[in-house]
Amino acid sequence: MAVPQLSAAPRPSAHPMANPGYGKKSAPDQEPRTGRDFVHLPAREASIATYLDRLDDEADISIKTLAKHLPYGQCAIGTALNDLSAAGHLRRVRRPVTVDGCPRWVWHTFFSRTARDDAWWDSFLAGETPVTEPSPTARSAAYDALAQLGRIDARLTLSAAECGALEEQAAEWFARGAGEAQLVQAVSAGLPDRVGYAYGFVRARLHAKLPPEQHQSRQPRYEMVCTACGEPGSAGGLRGGLCGGCWGERPGLGADQVHDHAERLRAALRTGTRTEKGARA
């Protein structure tokens, strides 16, 4: 049976966004996009990786949502995401935040067009990997977010000078964990009938709706979780972003790994049998 091609899927522009603060996050310092970024992957994984690469940050890339927008079922997509994790292209993470005095977990999936090894991911997620500063001619994500406001609503059109003047203020949103979609939504939602001065209006909204500052402890910025089962793991404890059990279920394993995984399953079954007998006694 022929493998479905990515061209059969909707354009990424139609893909839904996650709740503000969740969803896809792009890893830093990636190589420029080319037509051969994922040629080292099997066809299905390359197709899904290409689609993920084109999505905006904060896009909803849960398995269920991807299955609605790609020509693959949920099981196939789950397997492909595990393979992309093992190949170094993504990591699932969570981080604690406090909203209105209540602690909760926020979940992200970091995606990197450039494959990274475990050491790089561990260092980056712990906040220890240096990020190359953009060249002076490169525009920041904050500037780009401000520039696109006018394309969403003409009343919010800013000049290049105005975008530059507000760039630092907008960058503070990103420093507090917000993404481009969250900033744009906060500034452009519920506009009054008349916006007399776009610059002043945007500046006021950036100030009034600034997300709360996230006070991070000395713990890693992000806690990595297994791509397959979602269980948290310590730094360096997840091989290819997968816990030992889920890595052991991948094809192409060595005999020792298969033997260890089978022993764990047999032990679980023996435990379950004793419990069942005890319940009947």
Side-chain angles (χ1 to χ4, degrees):
M1 181 181 295
V3 176
Q5 297 300 312
L6 183 62
S7 58
R11 291 177 58 82
S13 59
H15 194 95
M17 304 300 288
N19 291 331
Y22 293 76
K24 175 191 171 183
K25 278 186 172 291
S26 297
D29 288 350
Q30 299 185 51
E31 296 295 329
R33 184 177 287 118
T34 71
R36 298 180 57 82
D37 293 316
F38 306 109
V39 294
H40 58 288
L41 297 171
R44 180 184 65 189
E45 281 69 15
S47 175
I48 293 174
T50 300
Y51 185 83
L52 294 176
D53 186 41
R54 295 172 181 171
L55 293 175
D56 294 331
D57 275 13
E58 296 192 41
D60 183 347
I61 56 175
S62 63
I63 292 175
K64 184 177 294 186
T65 297
L66 289 173
K68 294 178 181 178
H69 293 267
L70 291 170
Y72 305 102
Q74 292 186 32
C75 289
I77 288 177
T79 300
L81 293 179
N82 295 346
D83 291 342
L84 291 177
S85 180
H89 290 288
L90 66 83
R91 289 292 186 274
R92 292 206 190 280
V93 301
R94 66 179 187 175
R95 61 185 173 88
V97 298
T98 301
V99 180
D100 297 329
C102 299
R104 70 180 188 186
W105 289 104
V106 175
W107 302 80
H108 301 294
T109 299
F110 275 98
F111 182 83
S112 176
R113 181 169 56 253
T114 304
R116 315 286 193 176
D117 60 20
D118 286 347
W120 187 94
W121 280 113
D122 291 340
S123 180
F124 165 63
L125 295 175
E128 299 169 357
T129 296
V131 177
T132 303
E133 291 295 327
S135 66
T137 57
R139 293 300 185 184
S140 68
Y143 184 99
D144 290 341
L146 294 167
Q148 72 168 287
L149 290 172
R151 297 194 292 272
I152 296 172
D153 192 301
R155 292 172 291 176
L156 299 179
T157 301
L158 300 171
S159 68
E162 289 171 334
C163 287
L166 293 174
E167 187 173 7
E168 183 176 352
Q169 189 177 351
E172 179 61 24
W173 281 62
F174 292 85
R176 297 190 178 197
E180 182 176 304
Q182 184 179 354
L183 183 153
V184 170
Q185 172 68 14
V187 173
S188 62
L191 294 178
D193 293 336
R194 183 174 179 275
V195 178
Y197 181 35
Y199 174 81
F201 180 86
V202 172
R203 181 180 60 185
R205 281 215 163 174
L206 287 173
H207 174 74
K209 297 192 175 187
L210 181 66
E213 188 173 1
Q214 298 166 1
H215 297 285
Q216 298 290 337
S217 65
R218 294 188 178 182
Q219 298 298 317
R221 293 190 305 134
Y222 295 97
E223 181 179 22
M224 196 184 306
V225 300
C226 176
T227 301
C229 69
E231 287 297 313
S234 60
L238 296 178
R239 180 183 178 187
L242 301 169
C243 67
C246 293
W247 181 272
E249 294 174 357
R250 298 181 67 250
L253 298 172
D256 291 341
Q257 293 171 293
V258 173
H259 176 75
D260 291 343
H261 189 56
E263 282 297 318
R264 286 195 296 270
L265 290 176
R266 283 194 287 270
L269 289 173
R270 287 196 297 268
T271 302
T273 301
R274 288 197 296 269
T275 301
E276 184 179 354
K277 288 180 179 178
R280 288 198 298 264

